[in-house]
């Protein structure tokens, strides 16, 4: 239902069809249910389609939120701190999911402070420091950028493990 409701912003039947429960209402409701189940399959949540959302583990709740956003058929998806509060396994799963969405042609903007997540999930990165752009490029270019290293780790500091591929 959480995903299906997002499809309601694109319904074709009118208020009269909904009130009178016309055939077009039932057909479109069935189509939305089928689309929602397919979207849950993409998120590997289809086996939990009858669960109450608040009973899902936190990582799956976050995936459900993204699935609901995708159901609204956005041209552009903004994810603000999508990995916040996730354990490493959930974070890795989300990272793979975001990469899969990118391969499917979705445009996604991720705002995230977890540099390992950013380096592994994104193919283009824009780095801000105090609201000012200091670098833009591929993960490899960002990893090598001295201004980024100084802004995030201090001058001359080498941080083991940051920027390494998972």
């Amino acid at each position: 239902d959480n995903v299906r409701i997002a499809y309601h912003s694109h319904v074709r039947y009118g208020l009269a069809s909904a009130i009178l429960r016309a055939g077009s209402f039932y057909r479109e409701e069935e189509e939305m249910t089928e689309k929602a189940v397919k979207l849950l399959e993409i998120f590997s949540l289809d086996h939990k389609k009858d669960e109450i959302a608040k009973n899902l583990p936190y990582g799956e709740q976050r995936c459900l939120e993204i699935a609901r956003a995708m159901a609204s058929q956005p041209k552009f998806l903004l994810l603000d701190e999508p990995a916040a509060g996730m354990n490493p396994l959930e974070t890795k799963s989300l990272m793979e999911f975001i990469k899969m969405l990118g391969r499917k042609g979705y445009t996604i903007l991720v705002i995230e402070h977890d540099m390992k997540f950013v380096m592994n999930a994104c193919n283009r990165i824009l780095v801000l420091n105090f609201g000012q752009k200091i670098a833009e490029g591929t993960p490899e270019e960002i990893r090598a950028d001295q201004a980024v290293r100084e802004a995030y780790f201090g001058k001359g500091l080498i941080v083991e493990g940051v920027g390494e591929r998972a």
Side-chain angles (χ1 to χ4, degrees), residues 19-152:
I19 292 171
L20 298 174
R21 301 291 197 213
S24 61
F25 168 81
Y26 287 110
R27 278 191 300 280
E28 199 157 359
E29 287 291 316
E30 188 172 321
E31 286 175 26
M32 284 187 285
T33 299
E34 289 171 9
K35 288 178 182 179
V37 170
K38 286 180 184 173
L39 198 51
L40 289 174
E41 287 172 2
I42 292 171
F43 283 84
S44 299
L45 291 172
D46 53 314
H47 65 288
K48 295 192 175 183
K49 67 179 173 28
D50 296 321
E51 283 284 330
I52 296 173
K54 73 175 185 175
N55 293 339
L56 296 174
Y58 183 71
E60 289 180 350
Q61 287 181 20
R62 296 301 291 264
C63 287
L64 180 61
E65 291 170 3
I66 297 169
R68 186 175 49 235
M70 297 298 295
S72 69
Q73 303 171 355
K75 294 180 194 281
F76 185 83
L77 185 62
L78 171 63
L79 301 176
D80 187 9
E81 300 278 348
M86 289 186 168
N87 68 40
L89 184 60
E90 292 168 333
T91 299
K92 184 171 175 41
S93 177
L94 178 63
M95 188 183 331
E96 293 304 319
F97 182 75
I98 289 171
K99 290 183 341 187
M100 181 270 301
L101 287 176
R103 287 190 300 272
K104 288 185 176 269
Y106 288 98
T107 301
I108 305 164
L109 173 66
V110 178
I111 299 169
E112 181 63 62
H113 290 93
D114 180 339
M115 293 300 289
K116 190 173 184 180
F117 180 89
V118 170
M119 291 294 188
N120 287 287
C122 303
N123 56 15
R124 296 282 306 162
I125 301 168
L126 178 111
V127 182
L128 300 176
N129 187 30
F130 294 104
Q132 298 297 312
K133 178 177 137 181
I134 61 171
E136 182 176 0
T138 65
E140 292 74 25
E141 292 167 335
I142 297 303
R143 187 177 291 114
D145 190 283
Q146 189 61 34
V148 172
R149 289 180 168 280
E150 288 177 9
Y152 283 85

